[in-house]
Amino acid sequence: MTTDVLIRVKDLEKHFGKEIHALNGVSAEIRKGEVVVIIGPSGSGKSTFLRCLNLLEMPSAGTITFEGVDITDPKVNINQHRQKMGMVFQHFNLFPNMTVLKNMTCAPVTLRKKTKEAAEATAKQLLERVGLLDRAGAYPNQLSGGQKQRIAIVRALCMEPDVMLFDEPTSALDPEMVGEVLDVMKQLAREGMTMVVVTHEMGFAREVGDRVIFMDGGRIIEQGTPEQVFEHPQNARLKEFLGKIL
Amino acid sequence: MPAWLEDIRYQFNLNFVERNRWRFITTGLGNTLLITLFSLMLGVLIGVVIAGVRSTYDKTADTARPTFGRKVLGFFNGFCKVYITVLRGTPVVVQLMIICLVIFAWSDNGVALASLAFGLNSGAYVAEIIRGGIMSIDNGQFEAGRSLGFNYLQTMWHVVLPQVIKNVLPSLMNEFIALLKETSVAGYAAVRDLTYGGNTIAGQTYSYFMPLIAVALIYLALVMSLTWVVGRVERRLRSNDH
């Protein structure tokens, strides 16, 4: 199975200043086609871990190997590898000065040297899949939160990434809009996309996750299938955490 | 004709018509506009460069590796900080006189020297306006750009700067208006701007009222038209605010 490993994280540490140690030696593997859901209390380092995967946070120590390349190596051009790692943010981060279509085609046209027509055709296909084709010409402030997040997902997909990183994608949404975003993510998982998802949506973790990782204090405390983690938790802190939220 | 009207007519004749003294006003106005325009261009150029260096240094503080390039950037960042502190911390008149009467004392191209002095000064203010504009853009915009694979400059160019320009345009135009009025001190270095022109007339006729009122009215007209333009631009920016 080792050939199938897409991302290998080894002894990852992240310190902010001298006081705060967000990650204290995290090692993990993300396999191709796997949906890994990371849960844990706030401040447990799960977002920091995710943001380290594409070096939005520069790790203080440890290595991250993505598709066989150690991307923490200073000689590596991280921009090239980021093109293969789509990311979805809690606050969408759509570009407010561009239409939906421009949001989606800007990077492929500039970085992938795609023609405008080809990029727009891909973008429109993706928009149709998430039911937002009619909003192609709209600006982000004309969209609801759920629509914005669905656009953010397909914007990342336009770069044809090998893995998608989700950083609490539903945490900033009104409750009635969570479902539409989760549906898109479920569809993506069914199509075989490798996904790393930081979320508080335990239903999603249970239903879609191949593996659930529980983090606390900057460490991976426990991991396993959703069934193992949710039905038969071993660690006391995980039990306490689940007791509070379920 | 009543005596007061006769007096006004006499004064007008004396100050503007006689010996073509109106030319002091028109030449001065031309120079004022030239100085303002050139110093604006120089100021924006300097401002963009400094703002670029300063915000790049600040924005990449926690992600960049301590490479040689970073040290060079750090050096320029320090230089820009000193530049801004000195240029904003001393009166523009003093800077003008140092440039015209000390550094370039051999040159008598007053308009060019004044443009240089006001441009250098304005650059410090423009830099802070633009830097403020860049720092006001949500960091999530940078992260979204970088996560798509854009490098720092591409993110700046495609994502951040279009938003910055929209945000800072009104402030920049106000800086333009302030600059226009500021150039009135050019006369301290014997540069023949509008104020200097009015003053020259007054010095010849020993009559201050008319020349100075004329000068003031011209400044007012210029500032009012520019303010009107700024208002229009602001309204247009708001109306297609997406």
Side-chain angles (χ1 to χ4, degrees), chain B residues 5-175:
Chain B
L5 199 61
E6 186 66 39
D7 186 45
I8 286 179
R9 215 181 68 117
Y10 169 75
Q11 289 281 336
F12 187 85
N13 238 325
L14 173 70
N15 284 306
F16 302 124
V17 183
E18 221 171 76
R19 301 177 66 184
N20 285 336
R21 288 196 175 110
W22 55 272
R23 282 204 189 141
F24 288 114
I25 300 280
T26 52
T27 317
L29 175 61
N31 285 343
T32 289
L33 292 177
L34 279 180
I35 294 169
T36 309
L37 189 71
F38 287 141
S39 50
L40 181 81
M41 295 194 303
L42 181 62
V44 168
L45 187 73
I46 292 174
V48 167
V49 171
I50 292 184
V53 170
R54 295 269 290 112
S55 56
T56 302
Y57 185 82
D58 288 351
K59 280 271 169 202
T60 55
D62 21 282
T63 49
R65 299 178 171 98
T67 56
F68 177 68
R70 176 95 191 137
K71 284 200 185 112
V72 173
L73 187 63
F75 171 77
F76 280 112
N77 183 54
F79 176 80
C80 291
K81 272 186 173 171
V82 172
Y83 181 91
I84 290 174
T85 307
V86 171
L87 273 282
R88 294 205 310 179
T90 52
V92 68
V93 188
V94 178
Q95 295 165 17
L96 173 84
M97 294 203 291
I98 289 176
I99 284 180
C100 291
L101 309 176
V102 181
I103 302 176
F104 294 102
W106 46 270
S107 167
D108 60 354
N109 191 342
V111 172
L113 291 183
S115 303
L116 179 67
F118 290 112
L120 290 174
N121 179 266
S122 180
Y125 288 90
V126 171
E128 289 299 271
I129 292 174
I130 296 179
R131 192 174 73 92
I134 292 174
M135 298 312 264
S136 75
I137 302 293
D138 179 26
N139 205 34
Q141 294 288 312
F142 281 91
E143 293 189 342
R146 297 306 302 270
S147 79
L148 285 168
F150 286 120
N151 64 30
Y152 181 84
L153 283 178
Q154 287 169 326
T155 306
M156 269 292 180
W157 183 254
H158 291 284
V159 176
V160 179
L161 280 186
Q163 299 180 52
V164 170
I165 290 170
K166 203 165 133 172
N167 288 352
V168 303
L169 205 53
S171 312
L172 274 186
M173 295 188 77
N174 283 325
E175 167 66 18

Side-chain angles (χ1 to χ4, degrees), chain A residues 51 56 58 72 74 79 82 85 89 93-98 107 110-111 139 141 155 159, chain B residues 62-63 65 138 140-141 143-151 154 158-159 162-163 241-242:
Chain A
R51 290 161 55 80
L56 277 190
M58 193 62 71
T72 52
N79 301 309
R82 280 195 184 125
M85 307 171 110
F89 300 86
N93 298 348
L94 294 179
F95 307 134
N97 54 324
M98 304 178 192
T110 316
L111 301 172
Y139 283 88
N141 77 337
R155 176 177 71 178
M159 290 299 285
Chain B
D62 21 282
T63 49
R65 299 178 171 98
D138 179 26
Q141 294 288 312
E143 293 189 342
R146 297 306 302 270
S147 79
L148 285 168
F150 286 120
N151 64 30
Q154 287 169 326
H158 291 284
V159 176
Q163 299 180 52
D241 206 354
H242 294 299

Side-chain angles (χ1 to χ4, degrees), chain A residues 3 11 23 26 41 44 92 110 159 167 177 200:
Chain A
T3 52
D11 304 325
L23 295 176
V26 175
S44 59
F92 329 126
T110 316
M159 290 299 285
D167 189 5
M177 290 170 183
H200 295 291

